[in-house]
Amino acid sequence: MKSNNKVALVTGSSRGIGRTIALKLHKEGFEVVVTYCYDKAAGEKVFTEINKNGLLLKLDGGNERNVKDSVEEFSKKYDHLDVLVVSGMHDKPHSFKKTSFEDWKFVLNSKLDSSFLVPKYFYQLLKKTKFPQIILNTSSVEEKPQIGALAYSVASAGVANLVKSLAIELAPEGFRINAICPGTTRTDNWIGFGLEDDNMWKKFADSNPMKRVPTPEDIAEAVSYLVSDKAKYINGLFLYVDGGSRHKS
Ligand SMILES: NC(=O)c1ccc[n+]([C@@H]2O[C@H](COP(=O)([O-])OP(=O)(O)OC[C@H]3O[C@@H](n4cnc5c(N)ncnc54)[C@H](OP(=O)(O)O)[C@@H]3O)[C@@H](O)[C@H]2O)c1
């Protein structure tokens, strides 16, 4: 017998922002499907944190075969999906001059392709619920490019357009599609690019109007709002969680 509970799937929930969103949704009563891409041990750790109440999947959002397999695996336990959050990706931040075509393809696959493929193949399961929701994690750089992160900025802008397109196309079927746009957040995403550099993080905080960078918890709170009934008429929104830093030149 399959579960009647509300189910949320969060891609890239083995760590960082996705992990915190998964834990938050679990706390709010969802059965949560945790996914990892490369690091199974990290996925298992989060799965244990939610008392194994849900499911653990390997999901590489940019790999069509793997996304289809994930749908199959998911369907053994659930016949519906209420909330889909696409957050998982890995970056290779380089300038235009330093970005190889391989880097470009990797980042666009990781962020943009996955934002298309995961909703595409989970669509039928989302359709089974009355008020299905898709939340795509883009970035505050969807608006203004981040210098030195060319492919990432372009992919984020692509995800932003996808949010707008899906919000128009799927709303008549009862869907709500929204974006969360985090500012610079201290997660493993920054490994190799200054994660441990306290001075760099102090500079980021000092340059933010709110004098700190967002935490994964700030971003999970935004998701919590979007999935709540309070947001039932909110569709196609870009919810920035950046302390207002996007308004600075
Ligand atoms: N951190 C920031 O400053 C920041 C700012 C704005 C937006 N964002 C966005 O927030 C999201 C999460 O970033 P984060 O900072 O939490 O990064 P993170 O700590 O590095 O976590 C990335 C997560 O994504 C998974 N992942 C990697 N490639 C994937 C793929 N192809 N398909 C599905 N999952 C994949 C990873 O799984 P494994 O561990 O198994 O590899 C991991 O769970 C990203 O979309 C990022 O663009 C981050």
Side-chain angles (χ1 to χ4, degrees), residues 5 82-83 86 92 95 97 101 112 141 151 172 191 215 218 237:
N5 294 339
D82 295 86
V83 172
V86 180
K92 289 184 190 282
S95 64
K97 286 178 203 155
F101 189 38
L112 185 56
V141 306
I191 288 176
T215 62
D218 291 321
L237 178 77

Side-chain angles (χ1 to χ4, degrees), residues 11-18 35-40 42 59-62 86-90 109-111 114 137-140 152 156 181-190 201:
T11 77
S13 40
S14 54
R15 54 203 165 118
I17 295 168
T35 85
Y36 64 94
C37 185
Y38 306 103
D39 189 348
K40 187 174 180 189
L59 197 162
D60 176 349
V86 180
S87 184
M89 70 102 39
H90 279 305
N109 176 261
S110 186
K111 191 157 182 80
S114 61
N137 187 348
T138 167
S139 164
S140 55
Y152 179 66
S156 296
C181 311
T184 304
T185 311
R186 198 169 186 173
T187 66
D188 288 354
N189 197 26
W190 287 84
W201 287 94

Side-chain angles (χ1 to χ4, degrees), residues 66 90 110 155 164 178 191 219 240:
N66 184 224
H90 279 305
S110 186
K164 295 175 197 171
N178 292 295
I191 288 176
I219 299 151
Y240 281 83

Side-chain angles (χ1 to χ4, degrees), residues 142-154:
E142 61 87 17
E143 204 180 42
K144 276 186 204 159
Q146 183 181 342
I147 304 309
L150 176 83
Y152 179 66
S153 300
V154 171

